[in-house]
Amino acid sequence: MQGPEVLLSLNSRGLLAFEHLRLHKDTQAQPDGAEVKESVDGDQQQDEGEKGEDGESDKEEVGLWEETFKSHTDTKPNGPTSISLDFSLPGVEHVYGIPEHADDLKLKTTDGGDPYRLYNLDVFQYELYNPMALYGSIPVMLAHNTQRTMGIFWLNAAETWVDISSNTTGKTVFGKMLDFVQGSSENPQTDVRWISESGIIDVFIMLGPKPSDVFSQYASLTGTQSFPPLASLGYHQCRWNYNDQEDVKSVDQGFDQHDIPYDFIWLDIEHADGKRYFTWDPHKFPQPKEMLQGLMDKKRKMVAIVDPHIRVDSGYKIHNEITSKDFYVKNKDGRNYEGWCWPGNSGYPDFTKPEMRAWWASMFAYDQYEGSMENLFTWNDMNEPSVFNGPEVTMHKDALHGKWEHRDIHNIYGLYVQMATAEGQTRRSGGVERPFVLTRAFFAGSQRYGAVWTGDNAAEWDHLKISIPMCLSLGLVGVSFCGADVGGFFKNPSTELLVRWYQTGAYQPFFRAHAHLDTTRREPWLFGPENTALIREVIRQRYALLPYWYQLLYQAHKTGMPVMRPLWVDYPKDTATFTIDDEFLIGRDLLVHPVTEEGSRGVTAYLPGAGEVWYDVHTFQKHNGAQNLYIPVTLSSIPVFQRGGSIIPRKDRVRRSSTCMENDPYTLYVALSPKKFAEGELYIDDGHSFNYDTKKEFIHRSLTFANNALTSNNLCPNCNFLTSSWIEKVLILGASKPSKVLLKMDGKETPVDFEFDTSMSVLTLRKPGMNAGADWTLLLQ
Amino acid sequence: MTCVHLLLTLVFAVSLGTPVEIQGPRGVPLTKKQFYVENKPFTCLDGSRTIPFDRVNDDYCDCKDGSDEPGTAACPNGSFHCTNAGYRTMFIPSSRINDGICDCCDTTDEYNSGAKCENTCKELGRKEREVLQKMTEITKEGFLLKQHLIEEAKKGHQEKQIKVTDMQENKKQLDEKVEVLRTVKETAEQPEKEAKERHLKAWEEQKAAIRLEKDKAKMAEAFLELDDNADGFVSVSELQSHAELDADADGTLTETEAQGLMGGAEQVDMSTFESVWPNIKDKYHSESQPEEPAPVETPPDEVKEPVVDNDSEPYPEDDISEEEDEDDEDEDDYHEDDDKAPPTIKTPEKSHEDEDAMPPYDADTQALIDAAQKARDDFEEAEKALREMDDQIRNIEKELSFDFGPDAEFTYLYSQCYELTTGEYIYRLCPFNRVSQKPKYGGSETNLGTWGSWSGPENNKYLLMKYEHGTGCWQGPNRSTTVKLTCGKETVVTSTSEPSRCEYLMEFTTPAVCQEPANTDLSPHDHVEL
């Protein structure tokens, strides 16, 4: 409640329900008179009265103690255990979140259709615009209207369904207006119902009221995005598979020959010896350290896959140790659970056991993981877990994790895999270096352990489009470090699609190209010089913006604010933004409208903010806010706008990897608001260690332009970090021409050269030259 | 190229009279040095603007074309020139200046990054010269070899064409010969057929006579047996003792039945028994033998040629193993059988069925058969020769039709195969035929493509070979292989890879692609290219 207003009501439809634990009917005592109904099937709001207990229970008995799916039988030794609760949200028409679904940002009502399902599954060639379950589950829903943002966190790792209904469904805009005019309108309301197969009802309500409040409230429950190594924000080149060391070397050289930056090259499952993770194929990768050293000499890095299914093979160290320590998941009879995956017959370590995770982490030590070096990082795939011959390609629900059935913990299994892996990477450096681990499966809290990608998409335009709402939905519920396979995993993209996907992916947090084994090669330079140039250009744009991306990840790590955001997060009162999911914000200062239509000649971008202005980052042309702007596009166009009122630091000297750019100078892009004001931040640290946290070794500065003065202030006076980076250039967009410019630093004033471009009102300050960590003021007179 | 620096120093030494150290802005190649004049305003090389000279290489990008910062990383589109004395001069993107990675072998790109670079130009130069020298030698020798290959191919081509012409001439003759022999054969076969038929008929008649004789003897024997009282008559009661003659199969031969058999008579004498015998002979059991041996049936009507004795065929295995020329082989075998026919007739086991075996042909008939057989043999031999000739002509014509390069220099690869063994597989390239892969440790061969076409770039399509339509990939395309040809003294497969799933790349050296080496050797004075 807020004042007289009801914000949210629980069980208003009376759908609170849970199964009593009971004995199998042979021995069962009649369940005592329940004060809560036990039925879980469908919406039965009216059905509240007592039912004909006998007839009903006979019917329900089918499937209560055993269920069969295709050829699989779930023994359900505990019988039915499901739980349910409904939430009503008066005044709410827009709800978001509960990833992972390949669907629009704004959740749809599920009346008459399937509910949104949360059950981590290895889905082969997933369908779009569909509530079906995918690789990960975060049972968090956000509700938003112009007054307030709230969140519901249904903490349950069992299979979960969410039904959404709304009293405004199907009403046209006109119908709503009519309601409004007549004053007869019922308040719009969204009702949601959560159902889980087992576990307890454990719900957190985040009350907001601002979006940022919900993010920090949720972050206080599950933690924030891990702060990744700077390099992992660069470009990642992946393929199933880079065949051998020679192949890796030639791809690496290809990037240099074509002057395209990249930071990570990835190895998929074929790199391991017989899919025994932590090993290397002796023919294809006989000298992994040599290969890694070669990359290190170029200041580049590698990721090798480590999946959680372990080949059952008495000649395999990992398998033998897990067996001897009795760390495998058990089947219902208490024997080691086995299933088929890439290596053939495989065991599945029980990552829910802390001892198991500690042991797993120890396997990443340099003396355990042979051939690994400090520039080798990890990718956890198939951690739903994927079991090729299991029900729905996953683990049997009656498998056992200690006392717990797999059904109880299914959705959190993947989180534990990534947790243990990230822990291993941290530990191998004695806790000094930040880990980088990519995961496919995830749960609430996975953001603490690394990056997430949207799984096995396809080289189709719709898959490019859906990458935006999919990552936006993840960002809303904590997972900021998100990306989709650039180019599409399955099938071969057309050249145009590939270029457009690079342009989109370069402006999403996790930027990795990946391709299926059966596709033709698609390294960026294989499509003719024009397309190579287009791809090079957009990757360079990404690298120039790395300081901004890094700062946003730092902010996400500190506050829980999503990096890639729907527009409504920063424009919560602008209803026009509530359903937009073909454009998005990076932080609050960059607005991106990727071109995701084949043969597109123009896009219409919505620029939010009445009274605000936006600057085209390529031309510096100024546009007013609160308008739909038609932008003609060519194949080279990526509509990106900087918010008037913001300052974005860039490193415009793009080099072959992010590490090579470490000491390079910054250019500040100061985009003035109509009131000639702008602000921004600059964050600098060593880019890879925990020293920012443990030793406060970082620089964090506020940059403010006001009253014709641009000032850098220290936001962390007790921090210490020295950088050799300096400010080489300041661009002030929307400026007027000064007569002179002075740099005030250390009590001295020195003149600064400048140029003024009248046509676009861009003032360029030439080489002011101050250290990026210093206090200074630039005065325009 | 390799001695540019030295050479330039020399040029300057000459022009200025004294040797000088060439100074100037960092990263500027000699060819452009003239535009960078100390203490004079610098005009961007694209002419876009002019700046004071102290803004050249001041680590700030003033020119759109990047020309004011040849020695720093300030311009995104700049390039840095390394002299690399002792090795090749080169340009690197200015983004590689001071990035901590040694790019120029003379270390000049890392003047301020703290990277520990060593000057490796001399070593690289030496290596490159070695490689170049080797390459030149290889090219030289390869080119010589190529000339031989061309010569041989020419010769071979001519020879083959002559051969084809000859063969076609021969073939014509063979055609005629076959026709003649066919007539001879047919002429010889007619009397043979007639003689054989005569012989057969005679034998059939003889057989019938013998059968009649036998039957009579049996009847007489039966009469004597039946005539228990030896009164010269067989009576009804005597016949009744032979229950097997029972007509209604009730176990007993009644008097009436017996009388019926005897044509109503009470008894019959020997001559009348002749009319009774046909009624009973089929069922009659001799008293002397407990069981009558299987009734002697008239031998089946089929003509029992003495030659048919397949079981004793002496070379059955040869027959099966050679699959390719089945027809020919069969015919050969057939003839052999014919030759062996006479001895098989004399095998001892025939005694019992003496009468069933056809007696040998008389001399005249045999002579006719032998003559016909010879005519047949001659004809078939000639026909076979004609077929072989046809095959040969076709093969040579096929070979002649291949595109073996502008000078037929690839001819020698035809019908050859080259192998490369890698960690897991043995790869096999049979040029103009197919590429295949076989697991090293057992397993079946996979076809990586059959000859498709030359597919090099337009200006020289003979640098790449394409093999297509190999074994299909699971859920993927058919395998295909591109073979990249480079100049080498030897003809070998040097590497294989699979850059994309099921698309293989094979590197192959052969003298056939060696180009005529430039008419100059590597002496430095040939390298003025300013």
Side-chain angles (χ1 to χ4, degrees):
Chain A
M1 298 282 291
Q2 187 179 43
E5 210 181 321
V6 177
L7 302 176
L8 177 133
S9 105
L10 269 67
N11 200 32
S12 61
R13 292 187 294 161
L15 298 176
L16 170 64
F18 56 88
E19 297 282 354
H20 290 266
L21 286 183
R22 54 184 122 158
L23 298 170
H24 199 293
K25 72 173 170 191
D26 299 342
T27 50
Q28 82 181 38
Q30 190 62 30
D32 43 353
E35 60 264 77
V36 182
K37 276 304 299 168
E38 296 167 16
S39 155
V40 292
D41 297 325
D43 291 353
Q44 308 193 6
Q45 202 168 347
Q46 291 87 355
D47 222 338
E48 213 27 55
E50 287 299 311
K51 284 181 196 151
E53 184 85 19
D54 297 334
E56 197 67 23
S57 67
D58 271 4
K59 202 172 74 190
E60 285 183 349
E61 202 61 41
V62 179
L64 289 189
W65 296 93
E66 182 172 296
E67 262 182 278
T68 303
F69 173 76
K70 293 188 177 166
S71 60
H72 304 284
T73 299
D74 177 7
T75 55
K76 297 180 77 172
N78 297 321
T81 53
S82 50
I83 55 167
S84 151
L85 180 59
D86 70 286
F87 303 84
S88 291
L89 297 153
V92 169
E93 284 182 88
H94 296 86
V95 287
Y96 307 94
I98 54 169
E100 179 175 41
H101 300 101
D103 208 347
D104 294 329
L105 173 65
K106 176 191 180 302
L107 297 172
K108 293 172 181 140
T109 57
T110 58
D111 300 327
D114 288 336
Y116 284 99
R117 185 181 184 210
L118 294 172
Y119 192 59
N120 296 358
L121 292 176
D122 177 3
V123 182
F124 177 72
Q125 297 190 345
Y126 57 78
E127 294 164 29
L128 307 185
Y129 305 107
N130 189 315
M132 72 194 232
L134 289 180
Y135 311 93
S137 303
I138 300 183
V140 177
M141 181 186 281
L142 266 54
H144 177 73
N145 62 23
T146 53
Q147 303 306 310
R148 180 182 285 270
T149 310
M150 288 187 296
I152 299 168
F153 174 25
W154 175 270
L155 179 48
N156 190 308
E159 181 176 1
T160 296
W161 299 267
V162 184
D163 256 315
I164 299 168
S165 58
S166 158
N167 62 353
T168 56
T169 311
K171 278 193 184 168
T172 59
V173 176
F174 180 73
K176 286 183 198 170
M177 274 169 61
L178 200 68
D179 283 348
F180 180 74
V181 172
Q182 291 172 342
S184 70
S185 82
E186 41 178 344
N187 196 16
Q189 175 169 322
T190 297
D191 296 312
V192 295
R193 180 192 194 182
W194 296 72
I195 304 165
S196 286
E197 189 188 350
S198 70
I200 59 168
I201 297 177
D202 188 3
V203 185
F204 299 85
I205 309 292
M206 284 87 74
L207 286 170
K210 295 200 300 295
S212 57
D213 297 325
V214 175
F215 299 134
S216 67
Q217 286 153 7
Y218 178 62
S220 71
L221 296 170
T222 66
T224 60
Q225 177 65 53
S226 66
F227 189 33
L230 172 58
S232 65
L233 290 168
Y235 172 61
H236 298 260
Q237 182 67 38
C238 186
R239 174 177 179 83
W240 177 22
N241 214 101
Y242 285 119
N243 298 329
D244 48 31
Q245 282 179 229
E246 202 47 50
D247 200 3
V248 168
K249 198 172 172 182
S250 74
V251 171
D252 178 71
Q253 285 169 350
F255 277 93
D256 285 343
Q257 273 158 24
H258 299 90
D259 200 17
I260 299 172
Y262 89 97
D263 270 83
F264 282 80
I265 187 165
W266 292 52
L267 296 180
D268 208 323
I269 51 174
E270 312 297 331
H271 86 277
D273 181 14
K275 320 285 196 290
R276 296 173 188 89
Y277 307 109
F278 301 100
T279 72
W280 304 84
D281 184 300
H283 298 297
K284 298 169 183 162
F285 297 92
Q287 305 291 344
K289 284 196 175 180
E290 203 176 274
M291 170 176 65
L292 288 165
Q293 186 61 51
L295 292 170
M296 199 182 283
D297 291 344
K298 296 258 193 83
K299 304 196 177 187
R300 287 173 178 150
K301 298 166 175 55
M302 174 172 263
V303 168
I305 200 164
V306 174
D307 287 350
H309 50 258
I310 300 301
R311 180 169 167 149
V312 173
D313 171 1
S314 60
Y316 179 26
K317 178 184 90 172
I318 299 287
H319 167 70
N320 290 341
E321 289 205 26
I322 295 173
T323 309
S324 71
K325 293 179 192 303
D326 200 22
F327 280 159
Y328 276 126
V329 174
K330 301 285 185 280
N331 65 21
K332 65 179 180 347
D333 305 321
R335 283 174 287 118
N336 283 346
Y337 178 90
E338 288 181 2
W340 281 82
C341 210
W342 297 123
N345 198 28
S346 306
Y348 292 77
D350 188 353
F351 283 91
T352 64
K353 275 197 178 108
E355 320 85 80
M356 156 60 208
R357 293 199 299 274
W359 172 83
W360 178 266
S362 74
M363 289 299 101
F364 288 88
Y366 296 120
D367 59 349
Q368 292 292 325
Y369 190 166
E370 279 175 41
S372 69
M373 283 172 55
E374 59 267 36
N375 65 338
L376 179 69
F377 295 83
T378 312
W379 167 21
N380 292 147
D381 195 1
M382 314 296 279
N383 51 340
E384 292 76 25
S386 178
V387 181
F388 291 162
N389 59 341
E392 296 190 86
V393 199
T394 192
M395 192 172 275
H396 292 73
K397 285 180 170 174
D398 54 11
L400 293 170
H401 303 256
K403 282 184 203 161
W404 293 100
E405 279 193 282
H406 184 69
R407 92 179 72 248
D408 301 317
I409 62 92
H410 175 85
N411 284 346
I412 203 172
Y413 183 85
L415 176 144
Y416 282 129
V417 175
Q418 193 191 17
M419 177 198 272
T421 305
E423 176 64 19
Q425 269 185 23
T426 306
R427 289 220 315 233
R428 71 178 182 180
S429 67
V432 173
E433 298 294 323
R434 284 177 245 165
F436 171 71
V437 182
L438 178 72
T439 183
R440 191 170 70 181
F442 51 82
F443 187 65
S446 283
Q447 67 269 17
R448 298 200 302 277
Y449 309 111
V452 163
W453 95 108
T454 61
D456 300 345
N457 60 2
E460 292 167 6
W461 287 92
D462 279 349
H463 275 266
L464 168 59
K465 276 188 205 113
I466 206 81
S467 71
I468 299 172
M470 286 179 84
C471 278
L472 285 176
S473 296
L474 275 163
L476 289 175
V477 297
V479 179
S480 264
F481 203 6
C482 168
D485 285 345
V486 169
F489 178 65
F490 291 111
K491 305 186 187 171
N492 295 308
S494 68
T495 304
E496 185 191 355
L497 175 58
L498 185 69
V499 169
R500 290 298 189 203
W501 211 316
Y502 269 101
Q503 293 173 344
T504 305
Y507 286 92
Q508 292 176 354
F510 176 58
F511 181 28
R512 181 185 74 150
H514 186 32
H516 189 276
L517 184 67
D518 289 337
T519 60
T520 49
R521 294 293 280 244
R522 55 166 96 136
E523 284 71 50
W525 51 87
L526 295 176
F527 302 88
E530 295 87 1
N531 294 303
T532 305
L534 291 171
I535 296 171
R536 177 195 299 122
E537 168 56 25
V538 70
I539 296 179
R540 290 172 69 105
Q541 287 178 24
R542 168 67 169 218
Y543 274 75
L545 278 169
L546 282 178
Y548 182 60
W549 282 105
Y550 194 50
Q551 171 198 319
L552 289 174
L553 261 301
Y554 179 73
Q555 187 190 31
H557 175 60
K558 284 294 170 190
T559 68
M561 278 301 284
V563 169
M564 176 177 165
R565 309 170 184 167
L567 270 57
W568 63 258
V569 168
D570 286 301
Y571 298 87
K573 293 188 186 307
D574 184 350
T575 52
T577 64
F578 290 3
T579 57
I580 290 178
D581 60 6
D582 58 353
E583 67 180 56
F584 53 90
L585 293 167
I586 302 167
R588 60 192 281 238
D589 300 335
L590 279 186
L591 182 142
V592 186
H593 189 114
V595 182
T596 57
E597 296 278 347
E598 185 170 17
S600 181
R601 288 159 177 274
V603 297
T604 302
Y606 179 72
L607 303 181
E612 293 191 27
V613 292
W614 293 86
Y615 297 86
D616 183 315
V617 301
H618 310 296
T619 63
F620 304 136
Q621 194 180 341
K622 188 160 74 175
H623 301 281
N624 288 325
Q627 67 154 326
N628 281 304
L629 178 69
Y630 180 78
I631 307 145
V633 297
T634 63
L635 197 52
S636 66
S637 311
I638 317 152
V640 181
F641 301 88
Q642 184 177 343
R643 188 176 60 85
S646 67
I647 300 175
I648 293 180
R650 288 201 218 168
K651 282 189 174 179
D652 281 336
R653 302 185 181 187
V654 174
R655 303 194 190 243
R656 65 186 130 194
S657 75
S658 67
T659 311
C660 292
M661 296 161 64
E662 189 184 349
N663 299 316
D664 280 339
Y666 291 89
T667 297
L668 303 180
Y669 285 76
V670 182
L672 296 185
S673 72
K675 290 179 179 158
K676 307 289 176 196
F677 175 83
E679 61 183 344
E681 291 179 12
L682 178 60
Y683 176 85
I684 309 172
D685 64 14
D686 66 12
H688 55 85
S689 78
F690 281 111
N691 293 348
Y692 76 94
D693 190 33
T694 53
K695 301 181 181 169
K696 291 212 159 248
E697 287 181 4
F698 63 91
I699 290 165
H700 195 192
R701 306 199 65 86
S702 76
L703 303 166
T704 312
F705 185 96
N707 306 319
N708 274 326
L710 175 61
T711 309
S712 171
N713 282 317
N714 199 348
L715 286 173
C716 184
N718 59 342
C719 287
N720 62 87
F721 184 72
L722 293 179
T723 178
S724 46
S725 293
W726 48 287
I727 311 296
E728 68 168 327
K729 197 195 281 193
V730 179
L731 265 78
I732 304 175
L733 315 180
S736 38
K737 188 177 180 178
S739 56
K740 65 175 175 182
V741 177
L742 290 175
L743 170 64
K744 254 172 78 175
M745 196 164 72
D746 304 328
K748 279 180 279 185
E749 286 191 6
T750 42
V752 174
D753 277 323
F754 64 89
E755 278 174 43
F756 186 73
D757 173 356
T758 329
S759 66
M760 287 292 166
S761 303
V762 178
L763 176 67
T764 305
L765 309 188
R766 187 190 188 280
K767 209 184 174 190
M770 54 283 192
N771 185 282
D775 290 324
W776 49 263
T777 299
L778 281 162
L779 293 167
L780 312 189
Q781 293 175 339
Chain B
M1 282 287 248
T2 52
C3 294
V4 173
H5 183 77
L6 188 88
L7 177 73
L8 290 176
T9 315
L10 214 70
V11 170
F12 268 78
V14 170
S15 61
L16 300 177
T18 47
V20 289
E21 179 78 7
I22 299 153
Q23 282 289 345
R26 198 192 295 269
V28 178
L30 241 154
T31 48
K32 300 216 172 118
K33 199 138 286 187
Q34 50 180 310
F35 302 116
Y36 298 80
V37 184
E38 193 103 22
N39 299 325
K40 285 198 179 158
F42 171 76
T43 302
C44 305
L45 296 186
D46 63 359
S48 57
R49 69 191 291 187
T50 299
I51 54 171
F53 191 79
D54 62 8
R55 292 196 172 180
V56 170
N57 276 345
D58 72 337
D59 207 11
Y60 184 90
C61 190
D62 292 287
C63 296
K64 279 201 175 103
D65 66 354
S67 57
D68 64 314
E69 297 294 317
T72 77
C75 292
N77 51 349
S79 61
F80 176 85
H81 181 264
C82 8
T83 311
N84 289 348
Y87 185 55
R88 267 183 294 157
T89 62
M90 65 185 204
F91 287 95
I92 58 167
S94 37
S95 65
R96 295 183 193 171
I97 299 169
N98 290 328
D99 67 348
I101 300 163
C102 312
D103 290 286
C104 299
C105 63
D106 64 4
T107 76
T108 49
D109 61 318
E110 296 299 318
Y111 58 87
N112 196 23
S113 70
K116 292 191 188 86
C117 300
E118 278 172 36
N119 190 324
T120 54
C121 291
K122 269 189 190 150
E123 181 61 16
L124 284 171
R126 193 180 57 74
K127 271 189 193 152
E128 190 188 45
R129 276 191 299 278
E130 273 173 24
V131 169
L132 265 174
Q133 204 158 359
K134 222 176 194 173
M135 275 303 300
T136 315
E137 270 164 36
I138 288 172
T139 312
K140 227 175 188 172
E141 283 180 50
F143 188 71
L144 276 180
L145 285 171
K146 182 178 169 180
Q147 300 314 309
H148 286 296
L149 291 176
I150 292 171
E151 275 310 304
E152 267 170 45
K154 254 185 207 154
K155 238 185 272 165
H157 191 80
Q158 277 167 358
E159 276 166 16
K160 271 171 200 139
Q161 256 170 347
I162 291 167
K163 202 169 162 195
V164 167
T165 320
D166 284 357
M167 283 164 91
Q168 261 151 353
E169 193 52 43
N170 287 343
K171 192 192 151 199
K172 228 181 262 169
Q173 288 169 9
L174 263 177
D175 270 336
E176 283 162 20
K177 189 176 165 193
V178 165
E179 280 319 301
V180 169
L181 286 174
R182 188 195 305 279
T183 320
V184 169
K185 180 186 88 153
E186 280 163 6
T187 321
E189 276 174 340
Q190 191 53 33
E192 178 204 28
K193 195 179 162 205
E194 286 163 11
K196 269 185 169 174
E197 275 167 6
R198 265 199 310 281
H199 181 83
L200 187 66
K201 200 175 163 201
W203 181 51
E204 299 261 290
E205 280 164 7
Q206 194 189 341
K207 270 200 290 190
I210 290 168
R211 263 201 304 278
L212 198 65
E213 205 62 28
K214 266 188 173 173
D215 195 38
K216 265 194 181 146
K218 233 179 192 169
M219 182 186 73
E221 203 180 306
F223 185 86
L224 289 176
E225 268 178 19
L226 284 167
D227 186 11
D228 289 337
N229 54 4
D231 61 352
F233 293 98
V234 172
S235 66
V236 168
S237 58
E238 280 168 342
L239 196 60
Q240 271 180 286
S241 66
H242 278 257
E244 76 268 20
L245 298 176
D246 175 24
D248 58 7
D250 62 355
T252 47
L253 183 64
T254 62
E255 205 175 305
T256 327
E257 284 170 335
Q259 223 160 18
L261 288 173
M262 295 196 20
E266 273 298 318
Q267 57 178 26
V268 290
D269 64 3
M270 176 70 111
S271 63
T272 326
F273 188 69
E274 269 184 49
S275 62
V276 177
W277 177 240
N279 296 339
I280 63 169
K281 70 174 175 188
D282 286 348
K283 289 184 179 169
Y284 179 78
H285 282 190
S286 168
E287 288 162 19
S288 59
Q289 292 160 267
E291 196 70 10
E292 172 102 336
V296 179
E297 286 284 300
T298 318
D301 281 2
E302 58 168 293
V303 183
K304 251 201 174 166
E305 290 264 298
V307 291
V308 183
D309 194 5
N310 280 332
D311 292 347
S312 62
E313 218 295 305
Y315 305 114
E317 280 157 38
D318 290 359
D319 215 20
I320 297 158
S321 64
E322 293 288 326
E323 286 192 331
E324 24 188 36
D325 280 322
E326 262 178 294
D327 298 344
D328 295 359
E329 291 280 331
D330 279 359
E331 277 167 54
D332 286 351
D333 291 348
Y334 184 64
H335 303 321
E336 279 173 50
D337 280 350
D338 279 355
D339 295 342
K340 290 191 305 271
T344 37
I345 299 172
K346 290 171 196 144
T347 47
E349 51 163 318
K350 64 180 175 159
S351 57
H352 175 69
E353 288 160 8
D354 218 1
E355 63 200 66
D356 296 336
M358 188 168 71
Y361 293 115
D362 61 74
D364 287 351
T365 310
Q366 190 58 50
L368 284 172
I369 291 173
D370 289 349
Q373 190 56 48
K374 187 174 178 313
R376 263 195 300 274
D377 290 350
D378 289 350
F379 166 71
E380 274 153 15
E381 201 178 306
E383 216 181 23
K384 190 180 158 198
L386 178 63
R387 265 199 308 274
E388 279 168 6
M389 177 73 75
D390 263 342
D391 284 349
Q392 279 178 34
I393 291 173
R394 226 175 300 131
N395 281 338
I396 296 173
E397 279 176 344
K398 186 182 164 200
E399 190 179 338
L400 288 173
S401 75
F402 270 103
D403 178 358
F404 288 129
D407 298 309
E409 62 267 42
F410 298 101
T411 311
Y412 81 107
L413 297 173
Y414 188 74
S415 76
Q416 302 293 313
C417 290
Y418 304 89
E419 286 191 348
L420 176 73
T421 305
T422 65
E424 284 173 278
Y425 297 103
I426 300 166
Y427 290 88
R428 193 176 158 89
L429 165 66
C430 305
F432 306 103
N433 184 6
R434 69 200 290 262
V435 183
S436 59
Q437 174 201 54
K438 202 175 170 173
K440 213 154 124 189
Y441 308 106
S444 57
E445 192 184 79
T446 307
N447 180 355
L448 303 186
T450 49
W451 168 247
S453 59
W454 292 105
S455 60
E458 239 167 71
N459 59 356
N460 189 356
K461 67 171 177 169
Y462 300 102
L463 290 178
L464 292 178
M465 287 172 154
K466 188 90 189 161
Y467 293 80
E468 299 158 317
H469 309 301
T471 313
C473 272
W474 184 74
Q475 283 199 334
N478 283 2
R479 288 173 175 79
S480 63
T481 303
T482 301
V483 179
K484 198 173 143 197
L485 288 80
T486 48
C487 168
K489 281 189 282 187
E490 269 146 35
T491 306
V492 276
V493 177
T494 53
S495 79
T496 61
S497 56
E498 190 183 355
S500 270
R501 180 91 158 142
C502 305
E503 289 176 17
Y504 295 81
L505 178 68
M506 198 170 249
E507 307 228 15
F508 186 56
T509 64
T510 160
V513 292
C514 294
Q515 297 294 322
E516 186 166 13
N519 208 12
T520 53
D521 49 2
L522 282 173
S523 56
H525 57 261
D526 289 312
H527 283 258
V528 182
E529 46 180 55
L530 297 176

